[in-house]
Amino acid sequence: SQKSGPAAAPGLPIFVDLAYIPNHCSAKNVDQEFFKRIRSAYYVVSGNDAAGGEPSRAVLDALLDAKAQWGSNLQVTLIPTHDTEVTRDWYQQTHERQQELNIMVLASSSTVVMQDESFPACKIEF
C-alpha cells in the first residue's frame, strides 16, 4: 500500500523519543543516513560482540556526523546497554565533540541477577 503524509516523504526526518540502533549497532545496516532520517532524543546501543563489529565505531561516528547536520541543538542521549571497549574508546576520544553537539552518554552500573547469572543492565525512565 502507498503511504501518505509527511513521514513517508523521501528525505524528511522522523522525530522519535526513543530509537534502538538496529542490528546491535552494526555498520552492516546502519550508517549516517539512519541518524539523518531517525532523529531521536534517546538512542539505545545494545552491541556486545567485538569480533562481529558490534557496536561499530563507524556507527557511533555516523551519529556525530549526522547530528552536526541536523541544524538544531536538540539534546541527544546515547544509552549503551553494555560496557564495551569500543564504546569506552569512542566516548573518550570524541567527548569534546559530543559536548559541542549536545550528546550525552549514560553509563550503567546496574546489574541484574537471574537464575544464578549476573549481567549489566540499563534502566530507562521518562
Side-chain angles (χ1 to χ4, degrees):
S1 68
Q2 185 177 10
K3 293 183 178 180
S4 63
L12 292 178
I14 299 168
F15 293 86
V16 297
D17 291 326
L18 178 69
Y20 173 87
I21 300 176
N23 202 30
H24 305 288
C25 197
S26 168
K28 295 174 189 172
N29 299 89
V30 181
D31 58 12
Q32 192 179 109
E33 190 62 27
F34 172 80
F35 297 107
K36 285 181 183 178
R37 295 272 292 148
I38 308 298
R39 298 183 185 185
S40 183
Y42 299 87
Y43 290 101
V44 177
V45 178
S46 69
N48 191 25
D49 178 13
E54 300 168 359
S56 165
R57 170 68 188 250
V59 172
L60 297 172
D61 287 339
L63 168 62
L64 294 176
D65 295 339
K67 176 83 166 60
Q69 298 175 38
W70 283 10
S72 67
N73 199 22
L74 298 173
Q75 169 74 47
V76 168
T77 303
L78 193 67
I79 306 168
T81 60
H82 296 89
D83 180 19
T84 66
E85 187 174 334
V86 169
T87 312
R88 277 193 311 269
D89 289 347
W90 176 82
Y91 176 81
Q92 291 172 352
Q93 294 166 7
T94 65
H95 186 69
E96 188 174 304
R97 188 159 185 224
Q98 293 167 41
Q99 289 181 318
E100 291 169 6
L101 295 170
N102 203 18
I103 296 174
M104 182 175 69
V105 179
L106 292 183
S108 174
S109 59
S110 302
T111 46
V112 174
V113 178
M114 292 177 63
Q115 299 175 352
D116 300 326
E117 190 176 351
S118 177
F119 50 91
C122 188
K123 181 178 179 183
I124 302 170
E125 292 184 20
F126 292 94

